[in-house]
PDB file of all heavy atoms in Angstrom:
ATOM      1  N   SER A   4      85.354 118.889 129.957  1.00  0.00           N
ATOM      2  CA  SER A   4      85.494 119.498 131.223  1.00  0.00           C
ATOM      3  C   SER A   4      84.598 120.689 131.476  1.00  0.00           C
ATOM      4  O   SER A   4      84.543 121.314 132.472  1.00  0.00           O
ATOM      5  CB  SER A   4      86.908 120.095 131.290  1.00  0.00           C
ATOM      6  OG  SER A   4      87.145 121.002 130.260  1.00  0.00           O
ATOM      7  N   SER A   5      83.689 120.878 130.442  1.00  0.00           N
ATOM      8  CA  SER A   5      82.790 122.059 130.495  1.00  0.00           C
ATOM      9  C   SER A   5      81.317 121.616 130.252  1.00  0.00           C
ATOM     10  O   SER A   5      81.074 120.975 129.240  1.00  0.00           O
ATOM     11  CB  SER A   5      83.236 123.087 129.511  1.00  0.00           C
ATOM     12  OG  SER A   5      82.185 123.877 129.094  1.00  0.00           O
ATOM     13  N   SER A   6      80.437 122.040 131.098  1.00  0.00           N
ATOM     14  CA  SER A   6      79.022 121.655 130.807  1.00  0.00           C
ATOM     15  C   SER A   6      78.494 122.481 129.654  1.00  0.00           C
ATOM     16  O   SER A   6      77.560 122.060 128.980  1.00  0.00           O
ATOM     17  CB  SER A   6      78.177 121.920 132.074  1.00  0.00           C
ATOM     18  OG  SER A   6      78.155 123.317 132.375  1.00  0.00           O
ATOM     19  N   LEU A  33      83.925 125.826 116.661  1.00  0.00           N
ATOM     20  CA  LEU A  33      83.375 127.195 116.961  1.00  0.00           C
ATOM     21  C   LEU A  33      84.224 127.945 117.978  1.00  0.00           C
ATOM     22  O   LEU A  33      84.411 129.147 117.820  1.00  0.00           O
ATOM     23  CB  LEU A  33      81.961 127.000 117.512  1.00  0.00           C
ATOM     24  CG  LEU A  33      80.891 126.527 116.557  1.00  0.00           C
ATOM     25  CD1 LEU A  33      79.569 126.475 117.297  1.00  0.00           C
ATOM     26  CD2 LEU A  33      80.778 127.430 115.353  1.00  0.00           C
ATOM     27  N   LYS A  35      87.377 127.768 118.268  1.00  0.00           N
ATOM     28  CA  LYS A  35      88.689 128.256 117.688  1.00  0.00           C
ATOM     29  C   LYS A  35      88.455 129.366 116.706  1.00  0.00           C
ATOM     30  O   LYS A  35      89.370 130.051 116.269  1.00  0.00           O
ATOM     31  CB  LYS A  35      89.278 127.072 116.964  1.00  0.00           C
ATOM     32  CG  LYS A  35      89.936 126.078 117.929  1.00  0.00           C
ATOM     33  CD  LYS A  35      90.567 124.954 117.243  1.00  0.00           C
ATOM     34  CE  LYS A  35      91.283 124.090 118.218  1.00  0.00           C
ATOM     35  NZ  LYS A  35      91.897 122.912 117.529  1.00  0.00           N
ATOM     36  N   ARG A  36      87.204 129.632 116.294  1.00  0.00           N
ATOM     37  CA  ARG A  36      86.952 130.599 115.305  1.00  0.00           C
ATOM     38  C   ARG A  36      86.535 131.906 116.045  1.00  0.00           C
ATOM     39  O   ARG A  36      86.196 131.913 117.205  1.00  0.00           O
ATOM     40  CB  ARG A  36      85.724 130.209 114.375  1.00  0.00           C
ATOM     41  CG  ARG A  36      85.947 128.825 113.774  1.00  0.00           C
ATOM     42  CD  ARG A  36      86.845 128.880 112.568  1.00  0.00           C
ATOM     43  NE  ARG A  36      86.330 129.705 111.497  1.00  0.00           N
ATOM     44  CZ  ARG A  36      86.937 129.975 110.359  1.00  0.00           C
ATOM     45  NH1 ARG A  36      88.189 129.484 110.142  1.00  0.00           N
ATOM     46  NH2 ARG A  36      86.381 130.683 109.465  1.00  0.00           N
ATOM     47  N   SER A  45      74.285 131.391 115.579  1.00  0.00           N
ATOM     48  CA  SER A  45      73.251 131.270 116.635  1.00  0.00           C
ATOM     49  C   SER A  45      72.021 132.088 116.198  1.00  0.00           C
ATOM     50  O   SER A  45      70.887 131.601 116.258  1.00  0.00           O
ATOM     51  CB  SER A  45      73.789 131.687 117.953  1.00  0.00           C
ATOM     52  OG  SER A  45      72.695 131.967 118.805  1.00  0.00           O
ATOM     53  N   ARG A  52      64.130 129.760 112.479  1.00  0.00           N
ATOM     54  CA  ARG A  52      63.011 129.085 113.070  1.00  0.00           C
ATOM     55  C   ARG A  52      61.835 130.009 113.330  1.00  0.00           C
ATOM     56  O   ARG A  52      60.682 129.548 113.317  1.00  0.00           O
ATOM     57  CB  ARG A  52      63.429 128.319 114.297  1.00  0.00           C
ATOM     58  CG  ARG A  52      62.527 127.140 114.686  1.00  0.00           C
ATOM     59  CD  ARG A  52      62.474 126.099 113.563  1.00  0.00           C
ATOM     60  NE  ARG A  52      61.533 125.062 113.860  1.00  0.00           N
ATOM     61  CZ  ARG A  52      60.237 125.127 113.634  1.00  0.00           C
ATOM     62  NH1 ARG A  52      59.696 126.192 113.156  1.00  0.00           N
ATOM     63  NH2 ARG A  52      59.532 124.080 113.919  1.00  0.00           N
ATOM     64  N   ASN A  63      55.038 126.990  99.826  1.00  0.00           N
ATOM     65  CA  ASN A  63      56.482 126.783  99.916  1.00  0.00           C
ATOM     66  C   ASN A  63      56.977 127.582 101.095  1.00  0.00           C
ATOM     67  O   ASN A  63      56.318 128.521 101.528  1.00  0.00           O
ATOM     68  CB  ASN A  63      57.184 127.332  98.644  1.00  0.00           C
ATOM     69  CG  ASN A  63      58.690 126.856  98.538  1.00  0.00           C
ATOM     70  OD1 ASN A  63      59.052 126.089  99.392  1.00  0.00           O
ATOM     71  ND2 ASN A  63      59.318 127.466  97.666  1.00  0.00           N
ATOM     72  N   LEU A  64      58.104 127.179 101.625  1.00  0.00           N
ATOM     73  CA  LEU A  64      58.671 128.043 102.678  1.00  0.00           C
ATOM     74  C   LEU A  64      59.093 129.345 102.120  1.00  0.00           C
ATOM     75  O   LEU A  64      59.597 129.439 101.020  1.00  0.00           O
ATOM     76  CB  LEU A  64      59.925 127.321 103.236  1.00  0.00           C
ATOM     77  CG  LEU A  64      59.718 126.053 104.065  1.00  0.00           C
ATOM     78  CD1 LEU A  64      60.977 125.367 104.454  1.00  0.00           C
ATOM     79  CD2 LEU A  64      58.823 126.340 105.273  1.00  0.00           C
ATOM     80  N   ASP A  66      60.123 133.796 103.153  1.00  0.00           N
ATOM     81  CA  ASP A  66      60.427 134.852 104.144  1.00  0.00           C
ATOM     82  C   ASP A  66      59.223 135.773 104.365  1.00  0.00           C
ATOM     83  O   ASP A  66      59.017 136.286 105.440  1.00  0.00           O
ATOM     84  CB  ASP A  66      61.649 135.711 103.684  1.00  0.00           C
ATOM     85  CG  ASP A  66      62.857 134.848 103.524  1.00  0.00           C
ATOM     86  OD1 ASP A  66      62.845 133.658 103.972  1.00  0.00           O
ATOM     87  OD2 ASP A  66      63.847 135.373 102.950  1.00  0.00           O
ATOM     88  N   ASN A  71      59.840 133.500  96.876  1.00  0.00           N
ATOM     89  CA  ASN A  71      60.616 134.129  95.763  1.00  0.00           C
ATOM     90  C   ASN A  71      60.141 133.639  94.384  1.00  0.00           C
ATOM     91  O   ASN A  71      60.104 134.483  93.426  1.00  0.00           O
ATOM     92  CB  ASN A  71      62.077 133.610  95.813  1.00  0.00           C
ATOM     93  CG  ASN A  71      62.764 134.155  97.068  1.00  0.00           C
ATOM     94  OD1 ASN A  71      62.146 134.962  97.785  1.00  0.00           O
ATOM     95  ND2 ASN A  71      64.005 133.720  97.315  1.00  0.00           N
ATOM     96  N   GLN A  90      61.527 120.408 100.176  1.00  0.00           N
ATOM     97  CA  GLN A  90      62.762 119.781  99.600  1.00  0.00           C
ATOM     98  C   GLN A  90      62.735 119.542  98.129  1.00  0.00           C
ATOM     99  O   GLN A  90      63.629 119.749  97.390  1.00  0.00           O
ATOM    100  CB  GLN A  90      63.093 118.393 100.214  1.00  0.00           C
ATOM    101  CG  GLN A  90      63.742 118.556 101.614  1.00  0.00           C
ATOM    102  CD  GLN A  90      62.760 118.195 102.725  1.00  0.00           C
ATOM    103  OE1 GLN A  90      61.661 118.710 102.642  1.00  0.00           O
ATOM    104  NE2 GLN A  90      63.130 117.401 103.604  1.00  0.00           N
TER     105      GLN A  90
ATOM    106  N   SER B   4      64.004 129.002  98.347  1.00  0.00           N
ATOM    107  CA  SER B   4      63.024 130.067  98.260  1.00  0.00           C
ATOM    108  C   SER B   4      63.107 131.036  99.382  1.00  0.00           C
ATOM    109  O   SER B   4      62.352 132.019  99.315  1.00  0.00           O
ATOM    110  CB  SER B   4      61.597 129.469  98.134  1.00  0.00           C
ATOM    111  OG  SER B   4      61.362 128.679  99.245  1.00  0.00           O
ATOM    112  N   SER B   5      63.895 130.808 100.336  1.00  0.00           N
ATOM    113  CA  SER B   5      63.926 131.654 101.453  1.00  0.00           C
ATOM    114  C   SER B   5      65.350 132.098 101.806  1.00  0.00           C
ATOM    115  O   SER B   5      66.260 131.237 101.919  1.00  0.00           O
ATOM    116  CB  SER B   5      63.298 130.935 102.700  1.00  0.00           C
ATOM    117  OG  SER B   5      63.812 131.380 103.928  1.00  0.00           O
ATOM    118  N   SER B   6      65.574 133.418 101.980  1.00  0.00           N
ATOM    119  CA  SER B   6      66.837 133.941 102.311  1.00  0.00           C
ATOM    120  C   SER B   6      67.240 133.480 103.783  1.00  0.00           C
ATOM    121  O   SER B   6      68.399 133.440 104.061  1.00  0.00           O
ATOM    122  CB  SER B   6      66.941 135.413 102.136  1.00  0.00           C
ATOM    123  OG  SER B   6      66.043 136.041 103.140  1.00  0.00           O
ATOM    124  N   LEU B  33      65.719 121.193 111.213  1.00  0.00           N
ATOM    125  CA  LEU B  33      65.351 122.086 112.240  1.00  0.00           C
ATOM    126  C   LEU B  33      63.915 122.564 112.027  1.00  0.00           C
ATOM    127  O   LEU B  33      63.096 122.733 113.041  1.00  0.00           O
ATOM    128  CB  LEU B  33      66.301 123.317 112.372  1.00  0.00           C
ATOM    129  CG  LEU B  33      67.667 123.055 112.819  1.00  0.00           C
ATOM    130  CD1 LEU B  33      68.486 124.358 112.863  1.00  0.00           C
ATOM    131  CD2 LEU B  33      67.645 122.395 114.265  1.00  0.00           C
ATOM    132  N   LYS B  35      61.493 121.069 110.705  1.00  0.00           N
ATOM    133  CA  LYS B  35      60.526 119.995 110.898  1.00  0.00           C
ATOM    134  C   LYS B  35      60.333 119.602 112.356  1.00  0.00           C
ATOM    135  O   LYS B  35      59.380 118.948 112.709  1.00  0.00           O
ATOM    136  CB  LYS B  35      60.894 118.810 110.132  1.00  0.00           C
ATOM    137  CG  LYS B  35      60.624 118.873 108.597  1.00  0.00           C
ATOM    138  CD  LYS B  35      60.975 117.654 107.913  1.00  0.00           C
ATOM    139  CE  LYS B  35      60.643 117.798 106.442  1.00  0.00           C
ATOM    140  NZ  LYS B  35      61.060 116.610 105.700  1.00  0.00           N
ATOM    141  N   ARG B  36      61.274 120.057 113.218  1.00  0.00           N
ATOM    142  CA  ARG B  36      61.281 119.739 114.601  1.00  0.00           C
ATOM    143  C   ARG B  36      60.637 120.850 115.383  1.00  0.00           C
ATOM    144  O   ARG B  36      60.413 121.982 114.881  1.00  0.00           O
ATOM    145  CB  ARG B  36      62.760 119.544 115.105  1.00  0.00           C
ATOM    146  CG  ARG B  36      63.490 118.526 114.320  1.00  0.00           C
ATOM    147  CD  ARG B  36      63.202 117.127 114.668  1.00  0.00           C
ATOM    148  NE  ARG B  36      63.490 116.815 116.051  1.00  0.00           N
ATOM    149  CZ  ARG B  36      63.304 115.627 116.552  1.00  0.00           C
ATOM    150  NH1 ARG B  36      62.728 114.669 115.933  1.00  0.00           N
ATOM    151  NH2 ARG B  36      63.662 115.446 117.880  1.00  0.00           N
ATOM    152  N   SER B  45      70.285 127.214 119.438  1.00  0.00           N
ATOM    153  CA  SER B  45      70.766 128.502 119.180  1.00  0.00           C
ATOM    154  C   SER B  45      71.366 129.151 120.473  1.00  0.00           C
ATOM    155  O   SER B  45      72.446 129.696 120.513  1.00  0.00           O
ATOM    156  CB  SER B  45      69.702 129.462 118.603  1.00  0.00           C
ATOM    157  OG  SER B  45      69.977 130.803 118.746  1.00  0.00           O
ATOM    158  N   ARG B  52      79.943 130.062 123.281  1.00  0.00           N
ATOM    159  CA  ARG B  52      81.020 130.974 122.827  1.00  0.00           C
ATOM    160  C   ARG B  52      81.266 132.120 123.812  1.00  0.00           C
ATOM    161  O   ARG B  52      82.359 132.625 123.873  1.00  0.00           O
ATOM    162  CB  ARG B  52      80.630 131.487 121.428  1.00  0.00           C
ATOM    163  CG  ARG B  52      81.872 131.973 120.634  1.00  0.00           C
ATOM    164  CD  ARG B  52      82.831 130.850 120.467  1.00  0.00           C
ATOM    165  NE  ARG B  52      84.030 131.256 119.796  1.00  0.00           N
ATOM    166  CZ  ARG B  52      85.003 131.979 120.372  1.00  0.00           C
ATOM    167  NH1 ARG B  52      84.956 132.176 121.654  1.00  0.00           N
ATOM    168  NH2 ARG B  52      86.059 132.288 119.661  1.00  0.00           N
ATOM    169  N   ASN B  63      92.752 124.433 130.743  1.00  0.00           N
ATOM    170  CA  ASN B  63      91.689 123.666 130.060  1.00  0.00           C
ATOM    171  C   ASN B  63      90.493 124.548 129.919  1.00  0.00           C
ATOM    172  O   ASN B  63      90.268 125.515 130.605  1.00  0.00           O
ATOM    173  CB  ASN B  63      91.390 122.351 130.864  1.00  0.00           C
ATOM    174  CG  ASN B  63      90.502 121.432 130.043  1.00  0.00           C
ATOM    175  OD1 ASN B  63      90.306 121.581 128.958  1.00  0.00           O
ATOM    176  ND2 ASN B  63      90.014 120.396 130.831  1.00  0.00           N
ATOM    177  N   LEU B  64      89.600 124.214 128.893  1.00  0.00           N
ATOM    178  CA  LEU B  64      88.312 124.907 128.822  1.00  0.00           C
ATOM    179  C   LEU B  64      87.484 124.640 130.006  1.00  0.00           C
ATOM    180  O   LEU B  64      87.505 123.471 130.481  1.00  0.00           O
ATOM    181  CB  LEU B  64      87.576 124.517 127.549  1.00  0.00           C
ATOM    182  CG  LEU B  64      88.282 124.953 126.258  1.00  0.00           C
ATOM    183  CD1 LEU B  64      87.543 124.384 125.040  1.00  0.00           C
ATOM    184  CD2 LEU B  64      88.244 126.535 126.132  1.00  0.00           C
ATOM    185  N   ASP B  66      83.847 126.039 132.583  1.00  0.00           N
ATOM    186  CA  ASP B  66      82.748 126.878 132.810  1.00  0.00           C
ATOM    187  C   ASP B  66      83.075 127.957 133.909  1.00  0.00           C
ATOM    188  O   ASP B  66      82.572 129.052 133.775  1.00  0.00           O
ATOM    189  CB  ASP B  66      81.566 126.112 133.324  1.00  0.00           C
ATOM    190  CG  ASP B  66      81.110 125.095 132.333  1.00  0.00           C
ATOM    191  OD1 ASP B  66      81.609 125.089 131.189  1.00  0.00           O
ATOM    192  OD2 ASP B  66      80.282 124.175 132.673  1.00  0.00           O
ATOM    193  N   GLN B  90      91.345 119.273 123.179  1.00  0.00           N
ATOM    194  CA  GLN B  90      90.923 118.057 122.572  1.00  0.00           C
ATOM    195  C   GLN B  90      91.689 116.830 123.156  1.00  0.00           C
ATOM    196  O   GLN B  90      91.143 115.790 123.333  1.00  0.00           O
ATOM    197  CB  GLN B  90      91.185 117.991 121.009  1.00  0.00           C
ATOM    198  CG  GLN B  90      90.158 118.702 120.253  1.00  0.00           C
ATOM    199  CD  GLN B  90      90.742 120.048 119.734  1.00  0.00           C
ATOM    200  OE1 GLN B  90      91.291 120.816 120.577  1.00  0.00           O
ATOM    201  NE2 GLN B  90      90.567 120.323 118.560  1.00  0.00           N
TER     202      GLN B  90
END
Side-chain angles (χ1 to χ4, degrees):
Chain A
S4 59
S5 154
S6 67
L33 290 180
K35 285 181 173 174
R36 307 282 295 177
S45 161
R52 201 59 183 86
N63 188 10
L64 291 175
D66 298 348
N71 295 352
Q90 278 105 313
Chain B
S4 58
S5 153
S6 67
L33 290 180
K35 285 182 175 174
R36 307 281 297 177
S45 162
R52 201 60 183 81
N63 188 10
L64 290 176
D66 298 348
Q90 279 103 313

